[in-house]
Coordinates of all heavy atoms in Angstrom, one line a residue:
Chain A
V18 N -72.9 -13.5 -9.3 CA -72.6 -12.1 -9.0 C -71.4 -11.9 -8.1 O -70.6 -11.0 -8.3 CB -73.9 -11.4 -8.4 CG1 -73.5 -10.0 -7.9 CG2 -75.0 -11.3 -9.4
L21 N -68.4 -12.4 -10.3 CA -68.2 -11.3 -11.1 C -67.6 -10.1 -10.3 O -66.8 -9.4 -10.8 CB -69.5 -10.9 -11.8 CG -69.9 -11.7 -13.0 CD1 -71.4 -11.6 -13.3 CD2 -69.1 -11.4 -14.2
A22 N -68.1 -9.9 -9.1 CA -67.6 -8.8 -8.3 C -66.2 -9.0 -8.0 O -65.4 -8.1 -8.1 CB -68.5 -8.7 -7.0
G25 N -64.1 -9.0 -11.2 CA -64.2 -7.6 -11.7 C -63.2 -6.7 -10.9 O -62.4 -6.0 -11.5
M26 N -63.2 -6.8 -9.6 CA -62.3 -6.1 -8.8 C -60.8 -6.4 -9.2 O -60.0 -5.5 -9.2 CB -62.4 -6.4 -7.3 CG -63.7 -5.9 -6.7 SD -63.8 -4.1 -6.6 CE -62.7 -3.8 -5.3
Q28 N -59.7 -7.0 -11.9 CA -59.3 -6.4 -13.2 C -58.5 -5.2 -12.9 O -57.7 -4.7 -13.7 CB -60.5 -6.0 -14.1 CG -61.4 -7.2 -14.5 CD -60.6 -8.2 -15.2 OE1 -59.9 -7.9 -16.2 NE2 -60.7 -9.4 -14.8
M29 N -58.6 -4.7 -11.7 CA -57.8 -3.5 -11.3 C -56.5 -4.1 -10.6 O -56.6 -5.1 -10.0 CB -58.6 -2.6 -10.4 CG -59.8 -2.0 -11.1 SD -60.8 -0.9 -10.2 CE -61.8 -2.0 -9.2
H53 N -59.6 -12.5 -16.1 CA -60.4 -11.9 -17.2 C -61.3 -13.0 -17.8 O -62.5 -12.8 -18.0 CB -59.5 -11.4 -18.3 CG -60.2 -10.6 -19.4 ND1 -60.0 -10.9 -20.7 CD2 -61.0 -9.6 -19.3 CE1 -60.7 -10.1 -21.4 NE2 -61.4 -9.3 -20.6
H56 N -64.1 -13.8 -15.4 CA -65.1 -12.8 -15.4 C -66.0 -13.1 -16.6 O -67.2 -13.0 -16.5 CB -64.5 -11.4 -15.5 CG -65.3 -10.3 -15.2 ND1 -65.7 -10.0 -13.9 CD2 -65.9 -9.3 -15.9 CE1 -66.5 -8.9 -13.8 NE2 -66.6 -8.5 -15.0
Y57 N -65.4 -13.4 -17.7 CA -66.2 -13.7 -19.0 C -67.1 -14.9 -18.7 O -68.3 -14.9 -19.1 CB -65.3 -14.0 -20.1 CG -64.9 -12.8 -21.0 CD1 -64.7 -11.6 -20.4 CD2 -64.7 -13.0 -22.3 CE1 -64.4 -10.5 -21.2 CE2 -64.3 -11.9 -23.1 CZ -64.2 -10.6 -22.6 OH -63.8 -9.6 -23.4
A60 N -69.9 -14.1 -16.5 CA -70.8 -13.2 -17.3 C -71.7 -13.9 -18.2 O -72.9 -13.7 -18.3 CB -70.0 -12.1 -18.0
L63 N -74.3 -15.5 -16.1 CA -75.3 -14.5 -15.6 C -76.2 -14.2 -16.8 O -77.4 -14.0 -16.6 CB -74.6 -13.3 -15.1 CG -75.5 -12.2 -14.5 CD1 -76.1 -12.8 -13.2 CD2 -74.8 -10.9 -14.2
M64 N -75.7 -14.0 -18.0 CA -76.5 -13.7 -19.1 C -77.5 -14.8 -19.4 O -78.7 -14.6 -19.7 CB -75.7 -13.3 -20.3 CG -75.0 -11.9 -20.1 SD -74.3 -11.2 -21.6 CE -72.9 -12.3 -21.8
V95 N -78.2 -4.4 -12.4 CA -77.6 -5.6 -13.0 C -77.8 -5.6 -14.5 O -76.9 -5.9 -15.3 CB -78.3 -6.9 -12.4 CG1 -77.9 -8.1 -13.2 CG2 -77.9 -7.1 -10.9
L98 N -75.3 -3.3 -15.8 CA -74.0 -4.0 -15.8 C -73.8 -4.9 -16.9 O -72.8 -5.0 -17.6 CB -73.8 -4.7 -14.5 CG -73.2 -4.0 -13.3 CD1 -73.4 -4.7 -12.0 CD2 -71.7 -3.7 -13.5
I99 N -74.9 -5.7 -17.2 CA -74.8 -6.7 -18.3 C -74.6 -5.9 -19.6 O -73.8 -6.3 -20.5 CB -76.1 -7.5 -18.3 CG1 -76.1 -8.5 -17.1 CG2 -76.2 -8.3 -19.6 CD1 -77.3 -9.4 -17.0
G102 N -71.1 -4.3 -19.7 CA -70.2 -5.4 -19.8 C -70.2 -6.1 -21.2 O -69.1 -6.3 -21.7
A103 N -71.4 -6.3 -21.7 CA -71.5 -7.0 -23.0 C -70.9 -6.1 -24.1 O -70.2 -6.5 -25.0 CB -72.9 -7.4 -23.3
R105 N -68.6 -4.0 -23.7 CA -67.1 -4.0 -23.5 C -66.5 -5.3 -24.0 O -65.5 -5.3 -24.6 CB -66.9 -3.9 -22.0 CG -65.4 -3.7 -21.6 CD -64.9 -2.4 -21.9 NE -63.7 -2.1 -21.3 CZ -62.5 -2.6 -21.6 NH1 -62.5 -3.5 -22.5 NH2 -61.4 -2.4 -20.9
M106 N -67.3 -6.4 -23.9 CA -66.8 -7.7 -24.4 C -66.8 -7.6 -25.9 O -65.8 -8.0 -26.6 CB -67.9 -8.7 -24.0 CG -67.4 -9.8 -23.2 SD -68.7 -10.8 -22.7 CE -68.0 -12.4 -22.6
N109 N -63.9 -5.8 -27.3 CA -62.6 -6.5 -27.3 C -62.4 -7.4 -28.5 O -61.3 -8.0 -28.6 CB -62.5 -7.3 -26.0 CG -62.2 -6.5 -24.8 OD1 -61.9 -5.3 -24.9 ND2 -62.2 -7.1 -23.6
L123 N -67.6 3.7 -21.2 CA -68.1 2.4 -21.0 C -67.5 1.8 -19.8 O -68.1 1.2 -18.9 CB -67.8 1.6 -22.2 CG -68.8 0.4 -22.6 CD1 -70.2 1.0 -22.7 CD2 -68.3 -0.2 -23.9
D124 N -66.2 1.9 -19.7 CA -65.4 1.3 -18.7 C -65.7 1.9 -17.3 O -65.9 1.2 -16.3 CB -63.9 1.5 -19.0 CG -63.2 0.2 -19.0 OD1 -63.9 -0.9 -18.9 OD2 -62.0 0.2 -19.2
L125 N -65.7 3.2 -17.3 CA -66.0 3.9 -16.0 C -67.4 3.7 -15.6 O -67.7 3.6 -14.4 CB -65.6 5.4 -16.1 CG -64.1 5.6 -16.4 CD1 -63.8 7.2 -16.5 CD2 -63.2 5.0 -15.3
H127 N -69.2 1.0 -16.2 CA -69.3 -0.4 -15.7 C -68.7 -0.4 -14.3 O -69.4 -1.0 -13.4 CB -68.5 -1.3 -16.6 CG -68.7 -2.8 -16.4 ND1 -69.8 -3.4 -16.7 CD2 -67.9 -3.7 -15.9 CE1 -69.7 -4.7 -16.4 NE2 -68.5 -4.9 -15.9
L128 N -67.6 0.3 -14.0 CA -67.0 0.3 -12.7 C -68.0 1.0 -11.7 O -68.2 0.5 -10.6 CB -65.7 1.1 -12.8 CG -64.9 1.2 -11.5 CD1 -64.5 -0.1 -10.9 CD2 -63.6 2.0 -11.8
A131 N -70.9 -1.2 -10.8 CA -70.5 -2.3 -9.9 C -70.5 -1.8 -8.5 O -71.0 -2.4 -7.6 CB -69.1 -2.8 -10.3
L134 N -74.1 -1.4 -7.4 CA -74.8 -2.6 -7.1 C -74.4 -3.0 -5.6 O -75.2 -3.5 -4.9 CB -74.4 -3.7 -8.1 CG -75.1 -5.1 -7.8 CD1 -76.6 -4.9 -8.0 CD2 -74.5 -6.1 -8.8
Chain B
N137 N -57.4 -3.5 -24.4 CA -58.6 -4.2 -24.1 C -58.7 -4.5 -22.6 O -59.8 -4.6 -22.0 CB -58.6 -5.6 -24.7 CG -58.9 -5.5 -26.2 OD1 -59.5 -4.5 -26.7 ND2 -58.4 -6.5 -27.0
L138 N -57.6 -4.6 -21.9 CA -57.7 -5.0 -20.5 C -57.5 -3.8 -19.5 O -57.6 -4.0 -18.3 CB -56.6 -6.1 -20.2 CG -56.8 -7.4 -21.0 CD1 -55.8 -8.4 -20.6 CD2 -58.2 -7.9 -20.9
C139 N -57.3 -2.6 -20.0 CA -57.1 -1.5 -19.1 C -58.5 -1.3 -18.4 O -59.5 -1.1 -19.0 CB -56.8 -0.2 -19.8 SG -56.8 1.2 -18.8
P140 N -58.5 -1.4 -17.0 CA -59.7 -1.3 -16.3 C -60.3 0.1 -16.2 O -61.4 0.3 -15.8 CB -59.4 -1.8 -14.9 CG -58.0 -1.6 -14.8 CD -57.3 -1.6 -16.1
F141 N -59.6 1.1 -16.7 CA -60.0 2.5 -16.6 C -60.3 3.1 -17.9 O -60.6 4.3 -18.0 CB -59.1 3.3 -15.8 CG -58.7 2.7 -14.4 CD1 -57.5 2.2 -14.2 CD2 -59.7 2.6 -13.4 CE1 -57.2 1.6 -13.0 CE2 -59.4 2.0 -12.2 CZ -58.1 1.5 -12.0
K164 N -50.8 -2.4 -15.4 CA -51.4 -3.6 -15.9 C -51.1 -3.8 -17.4 O -50.9 -4.9 -17.9 CB -53.0 -3.6 -15.7 CG -53.7 -4.8 -16.2 CD -55.2 -4.7 -16.0 CE -55.9 -6.0 -16.4 NZ -57.4 -5.8 -16.3
Ligands
LIG401 C1 -72.8 -8.3 -11.2 C2 -72.2 -8.1 -12.3 C3 -70.8 -7.5 -12.5 C4 -69.9 -6.9 -11.7 C5 -70.1 -6.6 -10.2 C6 -68.8 -6.5 -12.5 C7 -67.7 -5.8 -12.0 C8 -66.6 -5.4 -12.8 C9 -65.5 -4.6 -12.4 C10 -65.3 -4.0 -11.0 C11 -64.7 -4.5 -13.4 C12 -63.4 -3.7 -13.4 C13 -63.5 -2.3 -13.7 C14 -63.9 -1.9 -15.1 O1 -63.2 -2.4 -16.1 O2 -64.9 -1.3 -15.3 C15 -65.2 -5.2 -14.5 C16 -64.7 -5.2 -15.8 C17 -65.3 -5.8 -16.9 N1 -66.5 -6.5 -16.9 FE1 -67.7 -6.7 -15.3 N2 -69.0 -6.9 -13.8 C18 -70.2 -7.5 -13.8 C19 -70.8 -8.1 -14.9 C20 -70.3 -8.2 -16.2 C21 -70.9 -8.8 -17.3 C22 -72.3 -9.4 -17.3 C23 -70.0 -8.6 -18.3 C24 -70.2 -9.1 -19.8 C25 -71.3 -9.4 -20.4 C26 -68.9 -8.0 -17.9 C27 -67.8 -7.7 -18.6 C28 -66.7 -7.0 -18.2 C29 -65.6 -6.6 -19.0 C30 -65.4 -7.0 -20.5 C31 -64.7 -5.9 -18.2 C32 -63.4 -5.3 -18.6 C33 -62.4 -6.2 -18.1 C34 -61.1 -6.0 -18.8 O3 -61.2 -6.4 -20.0 O4 -60.2 -5.5 -18.2 N3 -69.0 -7.7 -16.5 N4 -66.4 -5.7 -14.2

Side-chain angles (χ1 to χ4, degrees):
Chain A
V18 172
L21 282 161
M26 291 295 284
Q28 297 305 306
M29 293 179 283
H53 189 235
H56 199 72
Y57 269 34
L63 185 69
M64 288 192 288
V95 171
L98 269 166
I99 291 178
R105 187 70 166 71
M106 239 171 149
N109 283 353
L123 209 56
D124 237 5
L125 296 181
H127 194 70
L128 181 59
L134 183 62
Chain B
N137 286 338
L138 301 186
C139 173
F141 308 111
K164 183 182 181 183

